[in-house]
Amino acid sequence: MPYDPSAFPPFAVTVDLVVLTVRRHALCALAVRRGEPPYQGRWALPGGFVRGDEDLSTAAARELAEETGLHAHDPAGPLLPNAAHLEQLATYGDPKRDPRMRVVSVAHLALAPDLPAPRAGGDARSVRWAPVEDLLDQEVGYAREDEQAAPLAFDHARILADGVERARSKIEYSSLATAFCPQEFTVGELRRVYEAVWGVALDPRNFHRKVTGTPGFLVPTGGTTTRQGGRPAQLFRAGGATLLNPPMLRPEA
Amino acid sequence: MPYDPSAFPPFAVTVDLVVLTVRRHALCALAVRRGEPPYQGRWALPGGFVRGDEDLSTAAARELAEETGLHAHDPAGPLLPNAAHLEQLATYGDPKRDPRMRVVSVAHLALAPDLPAPRAGGDARSVRWAPVEDLLDQEVGYAREDEQAAPLAFDHARILADGVERARSKIEYSSLATAFCPQEFTVGELRRVYEAVWGVALDPRNFHRKVTGTPGFLVPTGGTTTRQGGRPAQLFRAGGATLLNPPMLRPEA
DNA sequence: GATCATAGTCGTCTGCTTGACGATAAACAG
DNA sequence: CTGTTTATCGTCAAGCAGACGACTATGATC
């Protein structure tokens, strides 16, 4: 069969971002308020069209920088202060997911340390960090005028749920939890990341033994800090290891 | 900003399939020979355009059925004899990955039991099962006229490598290895699946203890078989469990 | 400055899982 | 009948995880 441009239907391709961070002991996601129909006024995940000459990962990194000022972490490059982990999550292409036209969205997952404040992009849209529980529990019982309580636009609740599940399982067997921490952090801060992402309490003593005993996970910087109160804690940086063997174990049930 | 259809460039969207099976103790993938340029005569992964009214998973299931006669396994539906596991793998959208036009490909991963013989689809293209080692090791040293030894078309070697890596890691912590087995199988047959996918030898005694001791992994059917030679082995069906806890451990290095 | 609260760090003990491997069982081939 | 093959059960030691006691070093409070 010869090449026939009319043999395939045209699609719009977008990237949507699930940007996660840990704030005040809660897992939070970045949400932007939509300024135009459909779903005008509702909250949605940040995202945008892929340009004609752009790779998917490039488009995702560009959107991330526009929305947050963060840049994607290059594993080969130097350690930079404002770097976030960025990876492809999944692609969503239900024919009816956007009422305007056929849109295929390649969702990406970004993990960032706690940022001072969300920074609006070039335009003046509202941007906020919201606990993922709040964003996901709004599917039912939305009746009031409260715009904060409306479900996410499009299929973004599903995308967010998939991203959260990916993050929850990936910190089990990789060192990705350090992506939620500043460059230097304590064992206790890392433990609070696990507790926030998994929504469980972990034994500080066993956690300390586990992470300090896993080769390549943490490297001590020599410094200490007392910013959490209590006895000063050693500061660490993320080690070179990306896969944890044996993995961290998420408590049952 | 108002809705402007000219604000985004049009893309073609395809699905490509990494179909894996275990044949003669080797992990094999389905390859089709391209009948048209570019890469005419070269081997490629099966795939095709997503139709205008089709979901991505629907398009992948349709292509799978066209190429192999297998249908995607519905987790909620009944156990069917010719069902394969099908899941989304990743999406590839480098602007130059197809020289003709801008194509975004949503790759899917299918795991199937050993089939009698590859069945060509509606047209008469060549289709074959090839060991993944052969397909992936052909990136270098291709000089002869031997078309069997040419590297895969487009970025399909990369896609295949990603699919193989997904399968290798996923059988660690899920019961997916049973997707490579017929409906009823023995512990030894399941072990040979693990050995083929991981490329290692496993201790039959420890493997037997592990899989029979994991609740929900295997359900005895009561029957036995002697098709492997030696003492008759119990037959099992896949149990309801999808996540294995604790996981199967892949031997080191 | 004594006391308390808070957080971090080190140890101990017990039970479970794993890996190595011996032993037995049930089929078939010669 | 004997050897070969595959399946299955058991034993043992090493290692890891969960429960939890004990001690340390800060700041806060009286």
Side-chain angles (χ1 to χ4, degrees):
Chain A
M1 130 179 76
Y3 167 51
D4 175 9
S6 69
F8 59 89
F11 291 70
V13 175
T14 61
V15 290
D16 285 323
L17 293 180
V18 176
V19 190
L20 300 180
T21 195
V22 174
R23 317 192 81 199
R24 280 178 274 118
H25 213 276
L27 183 64
C28 294
L30 196 65
V32 301
R33 191 197 296 273
R34 285 187 59 77
E36 62 197 270
Y39 300 100
Q40 185 166 21
R42 291 268 282 277
W43 293 92
L45 299 177
F49 289 109
V50 177
R51 296 180 181 161
D53 57 350
E54 215 178 27
D55 196 2
L56 301 175
S57 58
T58 310
R62 174 178 53 76
E63 290 287 342
L64 180 66
E66 290 176 4
E67 300 289 345
T68 66
L70 292 166
H71 52 260
H73 173 60
D74 179 0
L79 279 179
L80 294 163
N82 251 11
H85 170 83
L86 182 64
E87 69 178 39
Q88 194 185 106
L89 176 59
T91 300
Y92 301 82
D94 186 294
K96 297 192 177 66
R97 64 181 295 277
D98 188 319
R100 295 166 296 180
M101 56 190 166
R102 186 70 198 265
V103 179
V104 165
S105 174
V106 184
H108 285 69
L109 175 66
L111 308 185
D114 193 0
L115 302 174
R119 188 188 91 181
D123 50 33
R125 290 170 303 172
S126 313
V127 184
R128 67 164 176 149
W129 290 110
V132 296
E133 300 302 326
D134 294 359
L135 291 171
L136 291 174
D137 288 353
Q138 293 163 358
E139 293 308 290
V140 292
Y142 164 59
R144 306 172 300 279
E145 292 297 309
D146 184 3
E147 280 177 321
Q148 302 263 355
L152 288 173
F154 304 109
D155 52 0
H156 287 186
R158 168 77 189 288
I159 299 176
L160 174 60
D162 290 348
V164 169
E165 184 48 42
R166 169 83 65 97
R168 283 188 175 141
S169 67
K170 209 153 179 183
I171 64 172
E172 282 189 67
Y173 56 89
S174 81
S175 61
L176 256 190
T178 59
F180 286 117
C181 295
Q183 266 199 293
E184 298 201 343
F185 53 89
T186 69
V187 173
E189 288 165 346
L190 183 63
R191 175 170 48 82
R192 278 180 282 275
V193 164
Y194 274 91
E195 291 179 330
V197 175
W198 284 345
V200 298
L202 299 174
D203 184 290
R205 297 157 291 188
N206 292 336
F207 184 87
H208 188 278
R209 178 183 60 192
K210 173 74 177 172
V211 297
T212 55
T214 301
F217 194 5
L218 301 181
V219 269
T221 66
T224 61
T225 184
T226 179
R227 62 182 168 228
Q228 298 291 337
R231 170 177 166 180
Q234 279 188 75
L235 284 169
F236 294 87
R237 249 184 294 107
T242 58
L243 256 50
L244 303 183
N245 207 315
M248 300 290 304
L249 290 184
R250 184 164 15 173
E252 323 271 319
Chain B
M1 127 181 75
Y3 167 52
D4 175 8
S6 68
F8 61 89
F11 289 71
V13 175
T14 61
V15 290
D16 286 325
L17 293 181
V18 176
V19 190
L20 300 180
T21 195
V22 174
R23 318 192 81 197
R24 281 177 275 119
H25 215 276
L27 182 64
C28 295
L30 196 66
V32 301
R33 192 197 296 273
R34 286 186 58 79
E36 62 197 271
Y39 301 99
Q40 184 165 23
R42 290 268 282 280
W43 294 91
L45 299 178
F49 290 109
V50 177
R51 296 180 181 161
D53 58 350
E54 216 178 25
D55 196 1
L56 302 173
S57 57
T58 310
R62 173 176 56 75
E63 292 287 343
L64 180 65
E66 288 175 6
E67 300 291 345
T68 66
L70 293 166
H71 50 258
H73 172 61
D74 178 0
L79 278 179
L80 294 162
N82 251 10
H85 170 84
L86 182 63
E87 67 178 41
Q88 194 186 105
L89 176 58
T91 300
Y92 301 82
D94 187 293
K96 296 192 177 64
R97 63 181 296 277
D98 188 318
R100 294 167 296 180
M101 56 188 164
R102 186 68 198 266
V103 179
V104 165
S105 174
V106 184
H108 285 69
L109 175 66
L111 308 185
D114 194 0
L115 301 174
R119 190 189 90 181
D123 50 34
R125 290 169 303 171
S126 314
V127 184
R128 67 164 176 150
W129 290 110
V132 297
E133 301 301 326
D134 294 359
L135 292 172
L136 291 175
D137 288 353
Q138 292 163 357
E139 293 309 290
V140 292
Y142 163 59
R144 306 170 301 280
E145 293 296 309
D146 183 3
E147 282 176 320
Q148 300 266 356
L152 289 174
F154 303 108
D155 53 359
H156 287 186
R158 167 77 189 288
I159 298 176
L160 174 60
D162 290 348
V164 169
E165 183 48 40
R166 169 83 65 95
R168 284 189 175 141
S169 66
K170 207 152 179 183
I171 65 174
E172 282 189 67
Y173 57 89
S174 80
S175 61
L176 256 189
T178 59
F180 287 116
C181 295
Q183 266 200 293
E184 297 201 345
F185 55 89
T186 70
V187 173
E189 289 166 344
L190 183 63
R191 175 169 50 82
R192 279 180 281 274
V193 164
Y194 274 92
E195 291 178 331
V197 176
W198 284 344
V200 298
L202 300 174
D203 184 290
R205 298 158 289 190
N206 292 336
F207 184 87
H208 189 278
R209 178 183 59 190
K210 172 75 176 173
V211 296
T212 56
T214 300
F217 194 4
L218 301 181
V219 195
T221 67
T224 61
T225 185
T226 180
R227 61 182 169 229
Q228 298 292 334
R231 170 176 167 180
Q234 279 187 76
L235 284 169
F236 295 87
R237 249 183 294 108
T242 57
L243 256 50
L244 303 183
N245 207 315
M248 301 289 304
L249 291 183
R250 183 163 18 170
E252 324 268 320

